[in-house]
C-alpha cells in the first residue's frame, strides 16, 4: 500500500485531456513539492515536472503537461493526448513523518 | 549531457552482501549543485528511494532500508556506490542511480527531490 494513492489506470483518445490524481496527507503533498514522473516500458522514469506554489516542467517537456495541487492532493493533466503519452505515471513527494521520499503506486495511461 | 551508468552483481543468493556502482560521465561528482541517489523498482511496483549522498558527505537514507544499506562516493573515480547487506528475495529489483538538485540553506546543501538524470538500471535478482 503506497503512501501516495493514485488510480491504477486511466485512458483517453487522441486529442483528449486526461487528468491523473495523487492523494496524500499533511505530512507530504500538503506541505511539500510534488514531482511527476513518466515511465515508458523498459526505460527509467523521466522527470516531467514539480508542483509547489506553481508547476514547473522539466526541460523539454511540452506545455500540454501541467500540474496542480490542492490541499493534500495533486493532479497531472495531459491535454492534446498523443499515442506516445501511453506510459506509467508516478507522483512523488518528501514525507516529513517517514523522513523519506515516497512514490505513488503509479497510473497506467492507455491511449485508445 | 550528463550520463549515469550502473554496474552490479546480477544474480545473488539470500543473506549475501553486494555492491552496485554508478559511473558519472559528462559531469562531475564534486559539484555542490547535485545530490546522487539510488532508487529501485520491483516488478509491478512503484519506484522506491533508497539513499542519497552529496559530495560534502551529507547523506539521506530511507529509514525502511537504512539498517542494511550504505551509500558512498568516490570523487577520484567520479562515481558512487550502494552496498546492500543481508539480501532477501524481496530485494529483487531494477536498481537505478540518479541525480537530483541541491539548494544552499543555513550553512549546508539540502536536497530537492527532483530525480532528473537516471541511469538505465541494473537488474539484481536474489534467488537461492
Amino acid at each position: 500500500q503506497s503512501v501516495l494513492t493514485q488510480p491504477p489506470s486511466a485512458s483517453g483518445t487522441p486529442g483528449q485531456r486526461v487528468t491523473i490524481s495523487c492523494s496524500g496527507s499533511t505530512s507530504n503533498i500538503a506541505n511539500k513539492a510534488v514531482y511527476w514522473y513518466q515511465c515508458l516500458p523498459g526505460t527509467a522514469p523521466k522527470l516531467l515536472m514539480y508542483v509547489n506554489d506553481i508547476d514547473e516542467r522539466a526541460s523539454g517537456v511540452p506545455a500540454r503537461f501541467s500540474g496542480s495541487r490542492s490541499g493534500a492532493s495533486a493532479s497531472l493533466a495531459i491535454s492534446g493526448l498523443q499515442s506516445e503519452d501511453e506510459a506509467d505515471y508516478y507522483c512523488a513527494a518528501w514525507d516529513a513523518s517517514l523522513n523519506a521520499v515516497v512514490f505513488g503506486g503509479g497510473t497506467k495511461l492507455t491511449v485508445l | 549531457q550528463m550520463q549515469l551508468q550502473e554496474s552490479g552483481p546480477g544474480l545473488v543468493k539470500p543473506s549475501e552482501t553486494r555492491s552496485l556502482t554508478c559511473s558519472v560521465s559528462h559531469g562531475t561528482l564534486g559539484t555542490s549543485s547535485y545530490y546522487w541517489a539510488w532508487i529501485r523498482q520491483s516488478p509491478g511496483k512503484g519506484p522506491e528511494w533508497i539513499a542519497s549522498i552529496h559530495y560534502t558527505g551529507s547523506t539521506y537514507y530511507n529509514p525502511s532500508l537504512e539498517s542494511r544499506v550504505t551509500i558512498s562516493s568516490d570523487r577520484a573515480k567520479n562515481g558512487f556506490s550502494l552496498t546492500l547487506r543481508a539480501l532477501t528475495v524481496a530485494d529483487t529489483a531494477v536498481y537505478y542511480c540518479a541525480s537530483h538538485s541541491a539548494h544552499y540553506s543555513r550553512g549546508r546543501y539540502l536536497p530537492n527531490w527532483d530525480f532528473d538524470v537516471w541511469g538505465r538500471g541494473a537488474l539484481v535478482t536474489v534467488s537461492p
Side-chain angles (χ1 to χ4, degrees):
Chain A
Q1 192 79 6
S2 302
V3 174
L4 303 181
T5 302
Q6 298 180 237
S9 63
S11 63
T13 57
Q16 267 191 332
R17 183 176 189 269
V18 170
T19 300
I20 296 172
S21 63
C22 175
S23 178
S25 69
T26 54
S27 65
N28 43 65
I29 291 178
N31 294 289
K32 302 291 181 184
V34 181
Y35 301 88
W36 286 96
Y37 295 87
Q38 178 191 60
C39 194
L40 297 168
T43 68
K46 170 189 173 183
L47 176 67
L48 289 176
M49 69 173 61
Y50 75 85
V51 182
N52 208 346
D53 295 327
I54 59 170
D55 65 331
E56 183 161 334
R57 291 183 304 278
S59 176
V61 175
R64 54 194 189 81
F65 288 85
S66 62
S68 63
R69 181 181 64 187
S70 178
S73 293
S75 294
L76 172 71
I78 309 171
S79 59
L81 197 63
Q82 299 180 5
S83 58
E84 58 259 38
D85 299 331
E86 189 161 287
D88 294 327
Y89 292 84
Y90 296 93
C91 58
W94 176 260
D95 189 291
S97 294
L98 296 175
N99 278 322
V101 179
V102 292
F103 284 83
T107 298
K108 183 175 184 61
L109 174 64
T110 301
V111 181
L112 302 170
Chain B
Q1 176 105 8
M2 183 166 66
Q3 294 179 338
L4 306 178
Q5 177 67 58
E6 304 89 346
S7 57
L11 181 64
V12 298
K13 295 189 183 305
S15 80
E16 291 187 334
T17 295
R18 285 293 185 272
S19 294
L20 295 121
T21 298
C22 182
S23 299
V24 179
S25 58
H26 307 292
T28 177
L29 199 77
T31 173
S32 60
S33 302
Y34 286 106
Y35 268 78
W36 309 93
W38 287 98
I39 298 160
R40 70 182 183 181
Q41 189 166 19
S42 302
K45 293 187 177 181
E48 179 180 30
W49 170 72
I50 302 171
S52 295
I53 188 167
H54 192 258
Y55 90 96
T56 54
S58 178
T59 56
Y60 289 77
Y61 287 95
N62 188 326
S64 69
L65 295 165
E66 186 172 9
S67 63
R68 298 195 295 122
V69 302
T70 302
I71 190 170
S72 59
S73 64
D74 187 333
R75 290 181 66 181
K77 294 184 178 179
N78 208 36
F80 58 106
S81 299
L82 181 74
T83 299
L84 304 103
R85 297 177 291 276
L87 286 159
T88 73
V89 172
D91 294 311
T92 294
V94 175
Y95 286 74
Y96 296 100
C97 58
S99 63
H100 51 118
S101 64
H103 66 278
Y104 191 76
S105 176
R106 298 177 191 174
R108 57 192 184 127
Y109 290 96
L110 301 176
N112 302 310
W113 301 106
D114 53 346
F115 303 109
D116 58 351
V117 179
W118 296 64
R120 288 187 166 187
L123 176 62
V124 175
T125 302
V126 184
S127 179

